[in-house]
Amino acid sequence: MAMQTNNEIRCSSTAVSYGKVLFELNIPEESVRKTREILEAVPQLPDLLMNPTVALKKKLAVIDRVFPEDMRNFLKTACRYHRMDLMDEIFAAYDRCRDEKNKVLKAVLTCTAPPDEEQKKGMESFLCRKYGAKEAQIEVRHDADLLGGFILRAGSDEYDWSIKGRLDRLAQTLGGRR
């Protein structure tokens, strides 16, 4: 089962380091997913674990009672070093490590109308060939300002086949000919 993640979370170098460690610990994905769900479902929990007025001993006891056993040491370390505020970034970095290992490419398709299945499969096939991925996951976003066509972003590459993009490039070309 693929997890939905926010591919656009920018990660600090500290969060990237923690995310790599979390991935390298080989904790079952189910435990990582469950930990995320708990932190999202109970917003008071991250607040408590980040609160400097709450004793570390109490925070560690809460971690022992609430979280999956194989995630506890990681969370205790994050808590000891005051990194609980980076958990969203840490999970995003973990996802990137997992996707990289599994050769999963994440892309964003911005368009005025969603592609049909055949078009989407064609884009996924193109991305897999171009980037050597086993799987391409395309998030579709709607943007009426494009006037038609689409923009496909994968990594740092952008393929702009939107009418707005074409008009902008035409205006730039014509503007440079004075």
Side-chain angles (χ1 to χ4, degrees), residues 132-150:
K134 288 182 183 174
E135 178 186 350
Q137 296 176 351
I138 300 175
E139 177 187 341
V140 178
R141 296 182 183 169
H142 179 267
D143 184 353
D145 292 340
L146 295 181
L147 306 173
F150 64 88

Side-chain angles (χ1 to χ4, degrees), residues 107-112 123 138-141 143 145-146 148-154 157-166 169:
V108 176
L109 175 69
T110 307
C111 50
T112 56
M123 288 180 196
I138 300 175
E139 177 187 341
V140 178
R141 296 182 183 169
D143 184 353
D145 292 340
L146 295 181
F150 64 88
I151 299 173
L152 181 62
R153 288 184 184 93
D157 294 333
E158 181 177 280
Y159 304 92
D160 187 347
W161 288 95
S162 68
I163 295 189
K164 182 182 183 317
R166 291 177 187 188
R169 287 189 295 279

Side-chain angles (χ1 to χ4, degrees), residues 39 41-49:
L39 289 169
V42 187
Q44 303 87 341
L45 201 50
D47 292 343
L48 172 99
L49 296 173

